[in-house]
Structures are given as structure tokens and as C-alpha cells.
Amino acid sequence: TAAIFGAFADTWVQIEHRRARWTPDYRDEVAASIKNHLVDLDLLPLTEVTAAIAAPVLGRCERRAPDMAKKVRQRLRAILDQAVEDGLIPANPIPLPRRRRNATKRTHMPARTARDEVGAILRSAEVSEVSRGVRRAHLLAAFTAQRIGEIAPAEWPEIDFKAATWSIPRARMKRKDEQRGDHAVPLPPVLLAQMREW
């Protein structure tokens, strides 16, 4: 019998989870994005997944969750690439996304410092379909005013829950003056409480 898309996609997630050493959270996030946005393909044999059938599915994803659409398309292509490698289909029917000819014009994006503006950004982020890591990074940025270059590589040993501080190694700071020592960032109680849950 022909391989069914939904079952094959589940297998692909487990294979990639082991191969790429995804965290359990990221594995669950990838699986959920496939289940949420590609559910209409679940019962189709892989041989029946065509560009024409996938296009409206991807289009709905673009309208409902534009931030997730690119990832979903990449994951669909990766699943079908695996099916090609396994000899289940002759070629990947999903075309690569077209490159836009006009480069996006860069505009100045001033920092948002007013409390109501920051609150609006965080509320929008809370309902958008982003990973837990991105959502947590938003909160760290909002409560500590640190750069993403300091936030993304943060590690738990840098957090002192008793002193309510985050010690960022000087080597990761923009100004790498070793004599200044690590950069101590105070953690407000509301953020500290959330970090304890994380």
C-alpha cells in the first residue's frame, strides 16, 4: 500500500529529531505546526500530494499565520524530499519559493520605550505563532533592555535567583572591556517568577 502523508510526516519528525538533536520542545513545536497547517494532506497517499493540491493548503496557512507559513512550506518540502530519498515518490512536487525581484527598502525602526507601546508588542507576540524560545526572548528583552546577542546565548548558570540578577559574561557584551567584569542585570520579580517556571 502507498505511504500516507500524515503517518510519513510523523516518522519524518522523529527521524529529524534524532538526526538534528532537536530539543523535545522544538520537536513538539514542529509536529504541531505540521498537524495544525497540513492536516488536509494527512490522509492522502504521498503520490497524490501535488503542487496543485498543496497550494490552497499553504495559502490558508499564509492567511492565518503568515509568520509560520514559510516554516510550514519548508517542512512540507523537507518531508517530500525524504520521500524522494526513500524511493516513495519520483520527485518533490512543491516548487521552491520564488525570489522577490525588488529588495525590501530598509526603514529606520525607532526603539519603543513607552509602556503602552511595549505592552502592545508583547500582547501581539503572545498571540502570534512563535516558539517558546522566541516568546521568552521577547520578555527578556522587554524587562532587561538587553540586546538579542546577549539574550539568545544566555545560559542558566548566569542566573542567580537568590540575588535576582543575570550575569552576562563580558565577552558577550558589545563593549568587551575585561576590566569591567561581567555585566550584572537586575531581574524584576515578575520576570523572575516566570523564569522559575521556565
Side-chain angles (χ1 to χ4, degrees), residues 35-186:
K35 286 292 179 196
N36 292 340
H37 300 291
L38 299 178
V39 64
D40 291 346
L41 305 178
D42 268 3
L43 300 179
L44 287 178
L46 286 168
T47 52
E48 293 182 21
V49 178
T50 64
I53 286 174
V57 175
L58 294 171
R60 276 193 297 277
C61 179
E62 180 72 43
R63 290 189 296 277
R64 292 175 186 166
D67 293 338
M68 180 59 65
K70 183 178 178 182
K71 292 180 182 178
V72 170
R73 184 185 188 92
Q74 288 172 339
R75 289 165 187 165
L76 174 57
R77 280 192 50 81
I79 291 165
L80 296 174
D81 279 345
Q82 185 65 53
V84 172
E85 288 182 23
D86 291 353
L88 300 172
I89 56 176
N92 192 329
I94 308 303
L96 288 166
R98 286 173 291 197
R99 291 187 179 180
R100 295 182 179 167
R101 292 175 182 263
N102 297 330
T104 304
K105 183 180 177 183
R106 293 191 177 194
T107 56
H108 175 62
M109 301 293 283
R112 301 293 181 194
T113 55
R115 188 168 53 182
D116 58 339
E117 291 177 337
V118 174
I121 291 168
L122 289 174
R123 283 189 295 277
S124 295
E126 191 63 31
V127 297
S128 65
E129 196 165 343
V130 296
S131 68
R132 288 181 198 163
V134 171
R135 187 169 283 119
R136 291 171 181 176
H138 284 165
L139 288 172
L140 282 170
F143 281 103
T144 67
Q146 297 305 304
R147 295 180 179 86
I148 195 65
E150 283 107 39
I151 291 171
E155 298 182 354
W156 285 115
E158 298 170 11
I159 308 299
D160 185 336
F161 284 97
K162 287 184 180 177
T165 57
W166 171 23
S167 295
I168 304 174
R170 180 56 53 183
R172 207 161 70 231
M173 298 296 295
K174 188 173 183 180
R175 292 189 62 182
K176 295 178 172 46
D177 181 358
E178 295 295 332
Q179 293 178 345
R180 299 179 71 182
D182 291 346
H183 179 52
V185 180

Side-chain angles (χ1 to χ4, degrees), residues 13-30:
V13 168
Q14 296 307 319
I15 290 170
E16 285 299 295
H17 165 55
R18 289 191 298 271
R19 185 192 65 77
R21 297 181 181 177
W22 291 345
T23 64
D25 278 355
Y26 186 68
R27 177 201 60 206
D28 294 346
E29 178 192 319
V30 171

